């Protein structure tokens, strides 16, 4: 598939996922320590800016009963990292790290769930998204918060690539 759902740890994550049409046809990527145990259906990837947390991420996923055969994405080569997506300042959080890796891997429709980035403590990540908006255009959408306002929501037309 060329469709991916990136899941964060915001309280809205499960509600966001449930609102995605044809959710079973997507690959999934969880974002780091706090998102990896939010659900147990299979993930293909996990992205983190904190490679030192990889052992704990894997432990949390295992305790939750989720699959362990996913690929780990981070910004530098390190133990446990399968895919390196180099850091491009300014940071846009692990959600942007995951979105950039997904684009590079060939995903054409990427939906953020549980990644609103609108709480005060996350506003510092918004410039990272703004700095590369052209790279994201027509490939990334969001289900909630500031990222939904900035990127737009996934419409049926967008999901099918402009098909009739």
């Amino acid at each position: 598939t060329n469709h991916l759902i990136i899941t964060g740890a915001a309280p809205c994550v499960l509600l966001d996922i449930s609102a995605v049409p044809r959710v079973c046809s997507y690959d999934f990527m969880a974002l780091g320590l706090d998102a990896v145990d939010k659900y147990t259906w299979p993930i293909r990837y996990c992205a983190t800016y904190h490679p030192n947390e990889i052992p704990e991420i894997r432990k949390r996923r295992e305790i939750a009963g989720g699959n362990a055969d996913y690929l780990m994405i981070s910004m530098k080569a390190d133990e446990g990292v399968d895919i390196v997506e180099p850091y491009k300042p300014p940071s846009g959080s692990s959600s942007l790290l995951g979105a950039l890796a997904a684009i590079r891997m060939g995903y054409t429709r990427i939906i953020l769930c549980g990644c609103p980035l609108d709480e005060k403590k996350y506003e510092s990540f918004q410039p990272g998204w703004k700095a590369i908006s052209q790279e994201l255009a027509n490939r990334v959408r969001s289900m909630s918060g500031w990222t939904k306002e900035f990127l737009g929501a996934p419409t049926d037309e967008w999901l099918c690539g402009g098909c009739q």
Side-chain angles (χ1 to χ4, degrees):
T1 176
N2 65 353
H3 291 69
L4 178 74
I5 293 175
I6 296 177
T7 58
C12 61
V13 66
L14 295 178
L15 183 62
D16 284 0
I17 293 168
S18 70
V20 175
R22 300 173 301 281
V23 72
C24 294
S25 65
Y26 291 78
D27 290 340
F28 280 83
M29 176 190 297
L31 298 174
L33 189 61
D34 294 327
V36 76
D37 59 358
K38 297 294 184 196
Y39 53 83
T40 58
W41 56 84
I43 60 174
R44 290 196 67 183
Y45 313 98
C46 181
T48 182
Y49 268 122
H50 308 285
N52 61 310
E53 294 178 347
I54 290 174
E56 183 63 23
I57 289 169
R58 293 201 180 277
K59 182 178 176 183
R60 278 197 190 182
R61 183 74 180 160
E62 180 183 330
I63 290 170
N67 66 306
D69 60 344
Y70 54 88
L71 298 175
M72 187 63 68
I73 300 166
S74 196
M75 78 294 194
K76 64 180 181 178
D78 207 327
E79 186 174 339
V81 175
D82 301 297
I83 299 168
V84 174
E85 182 60 38
Y87 173 71
K88 296 178 184 178
S91 175
S93 81
S94 56
S95 56
L96 184 56
L97 173 75
L100 290 171
I103 289 170
R104 195 165 51 86
M105 290 186 289
Y107 286 94
T108 59
R109 298 291 181 259
I110 301 159
I111 301 174
L112 303 176
C113 293
C115 307
L117 299 182
D118 53 5
E119 288 183 35
K120 186 103 175 126
K121 64 182 179 178
Y122 298 117
E123 288 177 2
S124 64
F125 294 122
Q126 294 174 5
W129 287 88
K130 291 175 182 176
I132 61 158
S133 61
Q134 293 303 317
E135 289 181 56
L136 307 171
N138 206 32
R139 290 183 146 191
V140 184
R141 297 288 184 269
S142 179
M143 297 301 289
S144 57
W146 178 85
T147 53
K148 180 179 177 180
E149 292 170 21
F150 180 67
L151 300 165
T155 63
D156 286 339
E157 181 182 20
W158 177 80
L159 286 169
C160 73
C163 58
Q164 298 299 324

